[in-house]
Amino acid sequence: AVAKAFLSDAVMERLGSLCGLLEERLTALERDVMAGVPPPAGPAPVADGGALLTGQIQEGVLSDILQMLSANAKSGRFTITGSETTAHLWYEQGEIRHAAAGDLQGEDAFFAALAQPQGSFVFVESVQELPERTINNKTQFLILEGLRKMDEEAQQGDEPPAEEIAP
């Protein structure tokens, strides 16, 4: 119960920070529009008119956005265009039910998407059927497991190879 409460507070704090950043960006865009400055280039508008959430991947923000979509029980496609791959995550009532990234599908594709160090994302809200269901675990579990894997990989990168460790 203590870990769950801590996680909830941490998530809420990060979401509050994200909302603050979004508000600052919106204010700057409104100021630019009033001054006649064209808006920055971004993803093309969605043809089906679905709700659209776009942004740039920054450290720690991607997992927060995935949690926010889950907490708000959203359905639709979340596309991540990263430096290494393009990944698609399909949400159904707040749960990620399918992921595809290159040749990967399911949880492996999700973990590859979450590990993107930079790039952009787009979420299109939709009630269309999933192409298929390749993920059965809860979104919260996937995010925590993905972050754990990334942390382990980062720690392994900091350790010298076994042959370099003095006896």
Side-chain angles (χ1 to χ4, degrees):
V2 172
K4 186 174 182 180
F6 173 76
L7 181 61
S8 296
D9 289 343
V11 169
M12 293 305 294
E13 183 178 321
R14 292 184 85 177
L15 286 175
S17 175
L18 179 60
C19 287
L21 290 171
L22 290 173
E23 187 174 330
E24 288 174 17
R25 187 166 181 184
L26 181 60
T27 301
L29 284 171
E30 288 173 345
R31 184 183 59 243
D32 289 348
V33 167
M34 296 301 266
V37 177
V46 179
D48 68 4
L52 185 65
L53 173 67
T54 66
Q56 296 297 310
I57 297 172
Q58 298 175 2
E59 187 175 334
V61 172
L62 189 56
S63 61
D64 290 342
I65 292 169
L66 297 176
Q67 287 177 336
M68 179 183 68
L69 294 171
S70 181
N72 287 297
K74 294 296 184 184
S75 295
R77 187 181 71 218
F78 191 87
T79 301
I80 301 164
T81 305
S83 58
E84 298 172 17
T85 190
T86 295
H88 303 281
L89 311 176
W90 281 266
Y91 276 84
E92 183 178 67
Q93 297 178 356
E95 296 297 333
I96 297 172
R97 296 297 184 206
H98 177 62
D103 294 336
L104 301 174
Q105 292 212 5
E107 291 186 11
D108 289 338
F110 173 82
F111 296 139
L114 186 62
Q116 292 297 307
Q118 59 187 4
S120 60
F121 62 86
V122 176
F123 178 72
V124 178
E125 194 169 24
S126 171
V127 291
Q128 295 176 352
E129 286 191 34
L130 301 170
E132 61 184 302
R133 184 171 175 164
T134 58
I135 296 178
N136 293 312
N137 282 314
K138 296 282 189 184
T139 298
Q140 186 67 21
F141 169 81
L142 293 171
I143 293 169
L144 292 174
E145 183 66 11
L147 293 174
R148 182 192 65 78
K149 287 177 178 245
M150 290 167 50
D151 189 45
E152 281 182 2
E153 289 176 13
Q155 287 179 359
Q156 288 175 355
D158 292 341
E159 295 176 8
E163 62 270 4
E164 292 182 19
I165 299 176

